[in-house]
PDB file of all heavy atoms in Angstrom:
ATOM      1  N   VAL A 244     -11.282 -12.677  -8.785  1.00  0.00           N
ATOM      2  CA  VAL A 244      -9.908 -12.820  -8.413  1.00  0.00           C
ATOM      3  C   VAL A 244      -8.985 -12.913  -9.622  1.00  0.00           C
ATOM      4  O   VAL A 244      -8.055 -12.251  -9.787  1.00  0.00           O
ATOM      5  CB  VAL A 244      -9.715 -13.981  -7.441  1.00  0.00           C
ATOM      6  CG1 VAL A 244      -8.241 -14.349  -7.349  1.00  0.00           C
ATOM      7  CG2 VAL A 244     -10.304 -13.670  -6.014  1.00  0.00           C
ATOM      8  N   ALA A 245      -9.418 -13.759 -10.545  1.00  0.00           N
ATOM      9  CA  ALA A 245      -8.587 -13.922 -11.754  1.00  0.00           C
ATOM     10  C   ALA A 245      -8.424 -12.577 -12.589  1.00  0.00           C
ATOM     11  O   ALA A 245      -7.386 -12.335 -13.101  1.00  0.00           O
ATOM     12  CB  ALA A 245      -9.292 -14.978 -12.607  1.00  0.00           C
ATOM     13  N   ALA A 246      -9.616 -11.850 -12.649  1.00  0.00           N
ATOM     14  CA  ALA A 246      -9.596 -10.630 -13.344  1.00  0.00           C
ATOM     15  C   ALA A 246      -8.651  -9.604 -12.718  1.00  0.00           C
ATOM     16  O   ALA A 246      -7.964  -8.811 -13.383  1.00  0.00           O
ATOM     17  CB  ALA A 246     -10.943 -10.051 -13.528  1.00  0.00           C
ATOM     18  N   ALA A 247      -8.672  -9.591 -11.381  1.00  0.00           N
ATOM     19  CA  ALA A 247      -7.796  -8.720 -10.655  1.00  0.00           C
ATOM     20  C   ALA A 247      -6.352  -9.012 -10.947  1.00  0.00           C
ATOM     21  O   ALA A 247      -5.456  -8.138 -11.236  1.00  0.00           O
ATOM     22  CB  ALA A 247      -8.025  -8.682  -9.189  1.00  0.00           C
ATOM     23  N   ALA A 248      -5.957 -10.366 -10.812  1.00  0.00           N
ATOM     24  CA  ALA A 248      -4.592 -10.774 -11.078  1.00  0.00           C
ATOM     25  C   ALA A 248      -4.127 -10.415 -12.426  1.00  0.00           C
ATOM     26  O   ALA A 248      -3.019 -10.003 -12.745  1.00  0.00           O
ATOM     27  CB  ALA A 248      -4.473 -12.239 -10.752  1.00  0.00           C
ATOM     28  N   THR A 249      -5.012 -10.667 -13.462  1.00  0.00           N
ATOM     29  CA  THR A 249      -4.717 -10.421 -14.898  1.00  0.00           C
ATOM     30  C   THR A 249      -4.409  -8.987 -15.058  1.00  0.00           C
ATOM     31  O   THR A 249      -3.367  -8.644 -15.720  1.00  0.00           O
ATOM     32  CB  THR A 249      -5.878 -10.875 -15.745  1.00  0.00           C
ATOM     33  OG1 THR A 249      -6.035 -12.320 -15.609  1.00  0.00           O
ATOM     34  CG2 THR A 249      -5.565 -10.514 -17.188  1.00  0.00           C
ATOM     35  N   ALA A 250      -5.205  -8.066 -14.435  1.00  0.00           N
ATOM     36  CA  ALA A 250      -4.927  -6.675 -14.631  1.00  0.00           C
ATOM     37  C   ALA A 250      -3.667  -6.234 -13.942  1.00  0.00           C
ATOM     38  O   ALA A 250      -2.776  -5.407 -14.556  1.00  0.00           O
ATOM     39  CB  ALA A 250      -6.068  -5.849 -14.024  1.00  0.00           C
ATOM     40  N   LEU A 251      -3.337  -6.719 -12.797  1.00  0.00           N
ATOM     41  CA  LEU A 251      -2.143  -6.395 -12.080  1.00  0.00           C
ATOM     42  C   LEU A 251      -0.912  -6.885 -12.777  1.00  0.00           C
ATOM     43  O   LEU A 251       0.099  -6.210 -12.809  1.00  0.00           O
ATOM     44  CB  LEU A 251      -2.232  -6.859 -10.666  1.00  0.00           C
ATOM     45  CG  LEU A 251      -3.286  -6.166  -9.827  1.00  0.00           C
ATOM     46  CD1 LEU A 251      -3.446  -6.933  -8.433  1.00  0.00           C
ATOM     47  CD2 LEU A 251      -2.851  -4.754  -9.535  1.00  0.00           C
ATOM     48  N   VAL A 252      -0.899  -8.127 -13.224  1.00  0.00           N
ATOM     49  CA  VAL A 252       0.199  -8.686 -13.975  1.00  0.00           C
ATOM     50  C   VAL A 252       0.475  -7.875 -15.276  1.00  0.00           C
ATOM     51  O   VAL A 252       1.588  -7.572 -15.630  1.00  0.00           O
ATOM     52  CB  VAL A 252      -0.097 -10.195 -14.392  1.00  0.00           C
ATOM     53  CG1 VAL A 252       0.938 -10.667 -15.375  1.00  0.00           C
ATOM     54  CG2 VAL A 252       0.020 -11.025 -13.154  1.00  0.00           C
ATOM     55  N   ALA A 253      -0.639  -7.350 -15.975  1.00  0.00           N
ATOM     56  CA  ALA A 253      -0.483  -6.576 -17.097  1.00  0.00           C
ATOM     57  C   ALA A 253       0.176  -5.304 -16.779  1.00  0.00           C
ATOM     58  O   ALA A 253       0.991  -4.799 -17.621  1.00  0.00           O
ATOM     59  CB  ALA A 253      -1.802  -6.368 -17.822  1.00  0.00           C
ATOM     60  N   ASP A 254      -0.010  -4.714 -15.613  1.00  0.00           N
ATOM     61  CA  ASP A 254       0.627  -3.500 -15.151  1.00  0.00           C
ATOM     62  C   ASP A 254       2.115  -3.684 -15.133  1.00  0.00           C
ATOM     63  O   ASP A 254       2.848  -2.765 -15.504  1.00  0.00           O
ATOM     64  CB  ASP A 254       0.108  -3.104 -13.823  1.00  0.00           C
ATOM     65  CG  ASP A 254      -1.317  -2.432 -13.845  1.00  0.00           C
ATOM     66  OD1 ASP A 254      -1.743  -2.085 -14.945  1.00  0.00           O
ATOM     67  OD2 ASP A 254      -1.962  -2.355 -12.783  1.00  0.00           O
ATOM     68  N   VAL A 255       2.514  -4.814 -14.620  1.00  0.00           N
ATOM     69  CA  VAL A 255       3.938  -5.104 -14.508  1.00  0.00           C
ATOM     70  C   VAL A 255       4.532  -5.278 -15.951  1.00  0.00           C
ATOM     71  O   VAL A 255       5.665  -4.717 -16.319  1.00  0.00           O
ATOM     72  CB  VAL A 255       4.236  -6.408 -13.636  1.00  0.00           C
ATOM     73  CG1 VAL A 255       5.772  -6.722 -13.648  1.00  0.00           C
ATOM     74  CG2 VAL A 255       3.838  -6.069 -12.144  1.00  0.00           C
ATOM     75  N   HIS A 256       3.912  -6.125 -16.787  1.00  0.00           N
ATOM     76  CA  HIS A 256       4.359  -6.280 -18.073  1.00  0.00           C
ATOM     77  C   HIS A 256       4.579  -5.062 -18.886  1.00  0.00           C
ATOM     78  O   HIS A 256       5.470  -5.020 -19.737  1.00  0.00           O
ATOM     79  CB  HIS A 256       3.401  -7.240 -18.868  1.00  0.00           C
ATOM     80  CG  HIS A 256       3.626  -8.682 -18.580  1.00  0.00           C
ATOM     81  ND1 HIS A 256       4.461  -9.512 -19.377  1.00  0.00           N
ATOM     82  CD2 HIS A 256       3.114  -9.508 -17.645  1.00  0.00           C
ATOM     83  CE1 HIS A 256       4.432 -10.696 -18.906  1.00  0.00           C
ATOM     84  NE2 HIS A 256       3.656 -10.777 -17.894  1.00  0.00           N
ATOM     85  N   ALA A 257       3.704  -4.105 -18.698  1.00  0.00           N
ATOM     86  CA  ALA A 257       3.827  -2.743 -19.415  1.00  0.00           C
ATOM     87  C   ALA A 257       5.145  -2.022 -19.075  1.00  0.00           C
ATOM     88  O   ALA A 257       5.544  -1.221 -19.971  1.00  0.00           O
ATOM     89  CB  ALA A 257       2.600  -1.891 -19.034  1.00  0.00           C
ATOM     90  N   ILE A 258       5.690  -2.243 -17.947  1.00  0.00           N
ATOM     91  CA  ILE A 258       6.800  -1.378 -17.600  1.00  0.00           C
ATOM     92  C   ILE A 258       8.129  -2.152 -17.320  1.00  0.00           C
ATOM     93  O   ILE A 258       9.168  -1.595 -16.965  1.00  0.00           O
ATOM     94  CB  ILE A 258       6.565  -0.511 -16.295  1.00  0.00           C
ATOM     95  CG1 ILE A 258       6.232  -1.376 -15.130  1.00  0.00           C
ATOM     96  CG2 ILE A 258       5.446   0.431 -16.563  1.00  0.00           C
ATOM     97  CD1 ILE A 258       6.008  -0.643 -13.887  1.00  0.00           C
ATOM     98  N   ARG A 259       8.079  -3.535 -17.590  1.00  0.00           N
ATOM     99  CA  ARG A 259       9.215  -4.322 -17.269  1.00  0.00           C
ATOM    100  C   ARG A 259       9.725  -5.071 -18.468  1.00  0.00           C
ATOM    101  O   ARG A 259       8.997  -5.632 -19.185  1.00  0.00           O
ATOM    102  CB  ARG A 259       8.863  -5.331 -16.116  1.00  0.00           C
ATOM    103  CG  ARG A 259      10.067  -6.101 -15.570  1.00  0.00           C
ATOM    104  CD  ARG A 259       9.603  -6.921 -14.440  1.00  0.00           C
ATOM    105  NE  ARG A 259      10.643  -7.838 -13.968  1.00  0.00           N
ATOM    106  CZ  ARG A 259      11.536  -7.610 -13.109  1.00  0.00           C
ATOM    107  NH1 ARG A 259      11.632  -6.460 -12.523  1.00  0.00           N
ATOM    108  NH2 ARG A 259      12.521  -8.492 -12.744  1.00  0.00           N
ATOM    109  N   HIS A 260      11.088  -5.097 -18.686  1.00  0.00           N
ATOM    110  CA  HIS A 260      11.579  -5.763 -19.834  1.00  0.00           C
ATOM    111  C   HIS A 260      11.506  -7.309 -19.612  1.00  0.00           C
ATOM    112  O   HIS A 260      11.696  -7.787 -18.483  1.00  0.00           O
ATOM    113  CB  HIS A 260      13.122  -5.420 -19.995  1.00  0.00           C
ATOM    114  CG  HIS A 260      13.687  -5.840 -21.306  1.00  0.00           C
ATOM    115  ND1 HIS A 260      14.153  -7.120 -21.483  1.00  0.00           N
ATOM    116  CD2 HIS A 260      13.809  -5.175 -22.515  1.00  0.00           C
ATOM    117  CE1 HIS A 260      14.635  -7.206 -22.728  1.00  0.00           C
ATOM    118  NE2 HIS A 260      14.394  -6.087 -23.327  1.00  0.00           N
ATOM    119  N   PRO A 261      11.252  -8.068 -20.686  1.00  0.00           N
ATOM    120  CA  PRO A 261      11.030  -9.490 -20.561  1.00  0.00           C
ATOM    121  C   PRO A 261      12.233 -10.258 -19.967  1.00  0.00           C
ATOM    122  O   PRO A 261      12.108 -11.222 -19.309  1.00  0.00           O
ATOM    123  CB  PRO A 261      10.731  -9.937 -21.981  1.00  0.00           C
ATOM    124  CG  PRO A 261      10.208  -8.690 -22.680  1.00  0.00           C
ATOM    125  CD  PRO A 261      10.912  -7.568 -22.073  1.00  0.00           C
ATOM    126  N   ASP A 262      13.488  -9.681 -20.264  1.00  0.00           N
ATOM    127  CA  ASP A 262      14.704 -10.379 -19.828  1.00  0.00           C
ATOM    128  C   ASP A 262      15.220  -9.857 -18.490  1.00  0.00           C
ATOM    129  O   ASP A 262      16.327 -10.189 -18.048  1.00  0.00           O
ATOM    130  CB  ASP A 262      15.800 -10.280 -20.822  1.00  0.00           C
ATOM    131  CG  ASP A 262      15.377 -10.988 -22.110  1.00  0.00           C
ATOM    132  OD1 ASP A 262      14.660 -12.029 -22.057  1.00  0.00           O
ATOM    133  OD2 ASP A 262      15.794 -10.482 -23.232  1.00  0.00           O
ATOM    134  N   GLU A 263      14.482  -8.914 -17.815  1.00  0.00           N
ATOM    135  CA  GLU A 263      14.978  -8.319 -16.636  1.00  0.00           C
ATOM    136  C   GLU A 263      15.024  -9.230 -15.472  1.00  0.00           C
ATOM    137  O   GLU A 263      14.281 -10.259 -15.361  1.00  0.00           O
ATOM    138  CB  GLU A 263      14.082  -7.098 -16.274  1.00  0.00           C
ATOM    139  CG  GLU A 263      14.679  -6.182 -15.285  1.00  0.00           C
ATOM    140  CD  GLU A 263      13.883  -4.937 -15.078  1.00  0.00           C
ATOM    141  OE1 GLU A 263      13.090  -4.589 -16.098  1.00  0.00           O
ATOM    142  OE2 GLU A 263      14.128  -4.157 -14.094  1.00  0.00           O
ATOM    143  N   ARG A 264      16.085  -9.095 -14.652  1.00  0.00           N
ATOM    144  CA  ARG A 264      16.238 -10.010 -13.498  1.00  0.00           C
ATOM    145  C   ARG A 264      16.296  -9.274 -12.205  1.00  0.00           C
ATOM    146  O   ARG A 264      16.813  -9.804 -11.197  1.00  0.00           O
ATOM    147  CB  ARG A 264      17.512 -10.867 -13.734  1.00  0.00           C
ATOM    148  CG  ARG A 264      17.321 -11.930 -14.827  1.00  0.00           C
ATOM    149  CD  ARG A 264      16.204 -12.929 -14.416  1.00  0.00           C
ATOM    150  NE  ARG A 264      15.798 -13.860 -15.505  1.00  0.00           N
ATOM    151  CZ  ARG A 264      14.847 -13.751 -16.292  1.00  0.00           C
ATOM    152  NH1 ARG A 264      13.989 -12.647 -16.184  1.00  0.00           N
ATOM    153  NH2 ARG A 264      14.612 -14.615 -17.240  1.00  0.00           N
TER     154      ARG A 264
END
Side-chain angles (χ1 to χ4, degrees):
V244 164
T249 296
L251 293 169
V252 168
D254 285 343
V255 174
H256 276 267
I258 59 173
R259 186 174 172 88
H260 193 275
D262 297 327
E263 194 167 344
R264 288 298 174 260

